[in-house]
Every structure is written in structure tokens, then in C-alpha cells.
Amino acid sequence: MKNCIKQISLDDHSTEHRYMQIYRQIKESILSGLCQYEERLPSVRAMAALLQVNAVTIVKAYDLLEKEKLVRKVTGSGTYVDYGRPVVVEDTLMEDDVQRSVFISPDTINFASATPSPDLFPVRDFKTALLEVLDRDQGYAFGYQDPKGYEPLRTAVGKMAKHLGIQCENENIQIISGAQQGIDLVAKGLLYPGETVLIERPSYGGAMQAFFSRNARVVDVPLEPDGISLDALEFSIRETRPRLLYVMPNFQNPTGISYTHDKKKKIIELSEKYNFLILEDDYLNELSFSDEPAAPLKVMDQHDRVIYIKSFSKMFMPGLRLGYLIVPMRVAEKLLAAKQSSDISTSGLLQRALERYLSTGAWEQNLQVLCNEYRQRFHRMAWMLEHYMPNNVKFLKPTGGLNFWLKLPDQLNSQMLYKSAMERQLIFAPGELFYARKPDENCIRLSIAAVKFSQIEAGIKLLSQLIRLRLKLDQKETPLRAEYRDPIL
Ligand SMILES: Cc1ncc(COP(=O)(O)O)c(C=O)c1O
């Protein structure tokens, strides 16, 4: 519990009792995630000695914490933090499990899935690329591959990255079997058990699972409408001395929030000042619907501290399990070793086929098709939400991406809404999936990745009706919203 102790300072001139000062400061540490579930508080005697107060003062502070169920006393063992139980792996639904666990008929309105539906996959062009590879490479396509990746594919993705403004050489590029593997390799290769990873609150569940699986200490930092809260971030950095910060600076999953240029710059500066690495998950930069392209953080990485992850799942085909990392040379070897011990290499056949596909121009064409389709869905969705959601449902319109994050009124629980929506063949992702601890229970994520354009209107009208019903609002209330959203996070 060294973090709690480090923070506690007693003000002798304060009118507040000492036990209240101690109680309040420990409480703050617990609520902010610095003192985590199951951590043991120092014994009464040790704490009293450290703070140079009477043991009764500590007992009173601990009693108050226990009354509020923030800690739990175990006879003969000590006092343990009883707040913020991490979402254990078995409990955690990966986002797409939401849809896997329910039967989806063709009529289901699917706002849950954040991956494109199979009708958007460019099957014919990819088949051509595959056949070309088979004719050209014969059996070589099926041998073990270089663990770093098929060299021509690394060259091709390097070109894509340079197009985005990222400076890199082939030696910085590591091909991976999907972004999820990339996150896992970073957790496995770079984190010692107990080291701290800072993540956004809320964040992507698959990343949290990867960090938990390596016994990392995961501390979440709140998001603001323009990116991570810098004050909270710097506070957490000072308190926890993290090894890693995991962020999605463009169209964050689940909130859709994008960081401002200044915030991106600032977190790069912080990584240099406090000596930690940044893991940038750039899963969706292609889908900007504003005039500004979504610039990766990696572009500004003058200190070479950003590990960049790119998935091919969202803008291509998730089942291929392909992606790439751009890594600072100082960690390249460790990540390569982690890759080798995970799966030796990513499928050679698929790497070759992807390289062919990228070089024929089919990639750009497909990107255009997807962007056009998603743009239409995006604007439809935004319009419907603006016009049909009750005023006390808060949301922030993203500037791109696939996700809309809604905060329901306090009295409305997202699980309850989920159940009644599912009965009417509408599904979405309940917000609970996106928290490492103590979830917000009244947020939901609506995605446009798999829902048909023609279903959006009916879907949002139905959802808004269900919300009104649950809130017992007047159904005839004028649906037009007075004004655009206030910040929600
Ligand atoms: C933010 C984010 N990162 C990574 C992934 C995993 O991507 P992949 O399919 O490439 O493993 C997902 C999948 O939903 C995601 O949403």
C-alpha cells in the first residue's frame, strides 16, 4: 500500500480531525484506482508509526472506510481494499461476444458489433490475390516464415505508414496476427508482473484482458471530450510510475473521442519526462468524416517512445488475423522474441495474399467503398440520435469512426435496457464491457459497423422509445432536441 502512504499528508493547522484527513486521503486513492482491489492496507500500528499519530486515530479512519465498504477487515490478517474488483477474464465479454451470445436473425438491428459485416468483405479481389500467390509461390507460400513478417508485406505497410506521416524503416515493422496479438505481445514482452499500465477510462476490453493476463496493475485515467485528462494522467504517472500508457487517440473505442493535437503532443512530452512507453492502438484512422485527417500520435514521436499498432480487421477482414506494429528499435528484439514464442510467425499464405492485394490498387478501391458506406451510416446515425433521443440522454458527436457513446440518465441501467432491447431484436454493447473496474452502469455503445443503413432509423426510434418507456416520459414529448450535446465524460 505504499502509494496510499506516500500521498497522505497531515495538516496540523486544519480544523479537520486527523482521522478524517487520513480517511479522506485513503478514500481518494481507492476511488482513483491508485490503491487497488485486494491490496492490503498497512497494519494499524505501522500506519500510526509512519504518520506519527495515535493508533486510535488510524482505527477510526479504517472504521470509516469499512463502513463505506471501501475496505474489508479480515481477522488475523489485515485490512484489504474492497473496492473496484477488476472485471475478471471469465466475466468479461469481448465486444463481439455480445452478438455471439444471442441469436441474430437477419432482422436483428445490430448496433453491438464493431466489425464490418461479411457483405462488405472484398472476397472476389482477395480470391484473385490468393490464386496469384498460389500460382507464383507454390509450396513456398506454406513454409515457415520470417517471424518479423514477409519482407515485401513489411515494405508495403511501411509505405502505408509513411503516407500517414510516420517515419519508419522495415526493421521497425513487425507483422502480427491481428492487433489483439500486438497488444498481447507488448504485455508479454515488455511488462514485468505488477508493473503499471495506464489506460483510458473507458477502454477496449481486449487490451485490459491482455494486461491482466500478465498480472499488470491496470490503472484507468478518465477521458474528456478532447482526449485523456492531462491532470489526472500526470497525477497517476507520478503516483504509479507506469511502464506503459495504452491509448486510442483517434475515434477511441468505445467513446469515439479524438485527441486534440495539443493533447497528443503533451502526452508525448510526458512519456519522455517520466520515462514510459506509449502503446498507440490506431485501429481506425481511415474513417475521418471531418476535414481533418486523423493523424496518428506516432507521427509526433520525436523521442521514439510510441509503439504503433494497426489492425486490418476494421477496414478489411477480421478473420484474416493480420496487422502490424511499428516499434522503436530499443524494444524490437523483445517483441520479436514474444512473437516467436507465441506463434512463430503469422500465416505466410495470408501475408503474401495481403501484399498482392495491397499492390494492385484493390485496397484503395475497397477503402473508398467502405468509407462511403460508413459515411452514410455515420451521418444517418448522428441525425437520428440528435432528433430522437430524449434530452437527458447525453452524447458527443464523434468526428469519425464507427462508435457512438451514450450516457443514459442516472436512473437507467444499461443492462436493463439491453434486455428489453434484445426482446425486440435490437442489440448494442452495454458500457460495462469497457471498464477495468467499477463500471459506469448507464452508458451504452452503438456501432454502425454491422447495422444496415436502412435499419438505423427504426433502430434509433425503437431505442429512444424504450428509454422513454423506462423513464416513463411522455411519449408525445416533442422529439426535436433544442441544442447539440453537452460534454458527457
Ligand atoms: C480498439 C481495438 N483494438 C484492437 C482490436 C483487435 O483487433 P484485431 O482483430 O486486429 O485483433 C479491436 C477489436 O475490436 C479493437 O476494437
Side-chain angles (χ1 to χ4, degrees):
M1 203 66 186
K2 56 184 178 334
N3 286 314
C4 282
I5 297 170
K6 198 164 61 180
Q7 265 177 264
I8 294 174
S9 58
L10 296 178
D11 180 358
D12 290 338
H13 306 295
S14 168
T15 53
E16 189 181 29
H17 286 298
R18 287 176 156 208
Y19 78 90
M20 282 302 289
Q21 293 184 42
I22 297 168
Y23 148 79
R24 187 175 39 75
Q25 291 178 57
I26 298 180
K27 179 175 173 174
E28 274 165 19
S29 291
I30 293 175
L31 294 183
S32 68
L34 294 176
C35 297
Q36 298 213 330
Y37 181 68
E38 287 295 7
E39 280 188 77
R40 193 152 74 95
L41 293 177
S43 68
V44 169
R45 202 189 303 171
M47 189 69 127
L50 195 102
L51 297 176
Q52 298 184 334
V53 296
N54 194 303
V56 177
T57 308
I58 304 298
V59 171
K60 279 167 102 174
Y62 282 11
D63 279 352
L64 276 181
L65 292 166
E66 191 181 31
K67 236 185 194 166
E68 290 190 18
K69 295 196 168 37
L70 293 171
V71 303
R72 167 172 47 91
K73 288 184 185 155
V74 179
T75 318
S77 175
T79 305
Y80 293 84
V81 175
D82 198 23
Y83 175 90
R85 184 175 77 90
V87 184
V88 290
V89 175
E90 290 77 14
D91 286 355
T92 312
L93 285 172
M94 296 285 278
E95 296 154 45
D96 282 344
D97 285 349
V98 170
Q99 43 161 355
R100 268 183 234 121
S101 64
V102 295
F103 171 70
I104 303 189
S105 80
D107 298 329
T108 302
I109 301 179
N110 183 354
F111 289 129
S113 175
T115 38
S117 49
D119 56 300
L120 292 175
F121 295 165
V123 178
R124 192 147 19 107
D125 286 341
F126 194 68
K127 181 176 164 192
T128 308
L130 257 178
L131 291 176
E132 263 181 64
V133 168
L134 288 172
D135 284 344
R136 186 193 66 191
D137 297 353
Q138 308 275 315
Y140 292 102
F142 298 100
Y144 278 123
Q145 305 291 312
D146 179 351
K148 256 195 146 352
Y150 177 59
E151 185 73 23
L153 177 61
R154 288 163 66 207
T155 306
V157 298
K159 269 194 208 146
M160 287 170 82
K162 282 180 192 136
H163 202 67
L164 289 170
I166 297 174
Q167 293 311 317
C168 62
E169 304 300 328
N170 273 17
E171 58 181 359
N172 299 109
I173 296 171
Q174 170 71 59
I175 302 294
I176 46 178
S177 308
Q180 182 65 32
Q181 184 184 59
I183 301 168
D184 196 50
L185 295 184
V186 170
K188 178 173 153 185
L190 303 183
L191 293 175
Y192 287 107
E195 278 192 314
T196 299
V197 180
L198 300 181
I199 62 170
E200 297 153 324
R201 175 182 172 84
S203 182
Y204 164 56
M208 293 179 233
Q209 290 189 5
F211 300 136
F212 282 136
S213 76
R214 307 292 165 188
N215 292 317
R217 175 191 168 93
V218 178
V219 175
D220 50 11
V221 181
L223 274 171
E224 292 170 345
D226 61 350
I228 202 160
S229 158
L230 289 178
D231 288 343
L233 177 63
E234 193 155 4
F235 176 77
S236 293
I237 293 169
R238 284 216 209 96
E239 293 301 320
T240 66
R241 296 288 161 180
R243 171 87 172 120
L244 194 69
L245 167 67
Y246 169 73
V247 285
M248 291 161 269
N250 295 309
F251 320 129
Q252 200 260 3
N253 184 10
T255 60
I257 280 173
S258 293
Y259 288 40
T260 55
H261 178 85
D262 284 353
K263 277 210 168 164
K264 288 180 185 166
K265 223 170 114 203
K266 185 71 186 161
I267 63 174
I268 296 268
E269 283 165 22
L270 289 172
S271 72
E272 179 66 6
K273 182 171 170 193
Y274 292 102
N275 189 24
F276 60 87
L277 293 165
I278 300 174
L279 180 55
E280 175 182 23
D281 188 343
D282 194 16
Y283 73 115
L284 212 55
N285 67 54
E286 298 87 349
L287 275 192
S288 173
F289 300 130
S290 73
D291 300 336
E292 291 285 304
L297 193 65
K298 183 72 183 161
V299 173
M300 311 172 185
D301 185 22
Q302 83 253 33
H303 307 298
D304 210 16
R305 290 194 164 271
V306 177
I307 302 168
Y308 176 85
I309 299 192
K310 185 76 196 139
S311 167
F312 281 106
S313 291
K314 305 291 176 185
M315 298 304 286
F316 198 41
M317 298 191 269
L320 284 180
R321 311 307 305 131
L322 286 168
Y324 64 91
L325 297 175
I326 300 179
V327 298
M329 284 320 292
R330 66 177 105 167
V331 296
E333 242 174 67
K334 283 191 171 155
L335 294 178
L336 180 61
K339 169 72 180 167
Q340 263 175 310
S341 67
S342 284
D343 65 354
I344 302 178
S345 76
T346 295
S347 156
L349 176 63
L350 295 180
Q351 289 191 65
R352 286 159 197 257
L354 178 61
E355 188 277 326
R356 276 291 69 223
Y357 184 84
L358 292 176
S359 342
T360 58
W363 168 259
E364 279 83 13
Q365 272 173 27
N366 185 50
L367 218 55
Q368 271 306 322
V369 172
L370 285 182
C371 284
N372 288 342
E373 176 64 33
Y374 286 141
R375 182 178 292 109
Q376 289 181 24
R377 293 185 199 178
F378 179 89
H379 290 305
R380 184 81 183 140
M381 185 77 162
W383 196 91
M384 291 304 300
L385 287 171
E386 277 167 38
H387 288 80
Y388 283 93
M389 277 294 146
N391 274 316
N392 45 3
V393 174
K394 310 287 183 199
F395 77 98
L396 208 64
K397 185 183 172 190
T399 52
L402 297 169
N403 298 325
F404 290 78
W405 182 245
L406 273 54
K407 190 165 174 60
L408 308 170
D410 284 345
Q411 65 270 38
L412 226 171
N413 176 296
S414 65
Q415 289 288 354
M416 273 162 24
L417 184 64
Y418 181 73
K419 278 193 196 118
S420 43
M422 206 169 65
E423 280 162 15
R424 290 163 181 82
Q425 293 198 314
L426 184 150
I427 55 173
F428 56 79
E432 282 93 326
L433 301 177
F434 305 96
Y435 293 88
R437 62 187 181 90
K438 232 17 208 171
D440 252 342
E441 283 168 359
N442 56 353
C443 290
I444 63 174
R445 189 197 68 183
L446 304 178
S447 173
I448 52 166
V451 69
K452 295 185 194 84
F453 177 84
S454 59
Q455 293 175 312
I456 293 176
E457 177 172 351
I460 296 304
K461 282 183 175 168
L462 173 59
L463 195 61
S464 110
Q465 235 175 13
L466 292 173
I467 293 172
R468 282 163 202 271
L469 263 176
R470 287 216 158 261
L471 292 171
K472 298 200 171 50
L473 287 182
D474 180 2
Q475 295 282 312
K476 289 189 212 95
E477 179 197 4
T478 167
L480 267 179
R481 299 166 67 93
E483 188 193 342
Y484 213 53
R485 314 284 96 212
D486 29 323
I488 48 162
L489 290 161

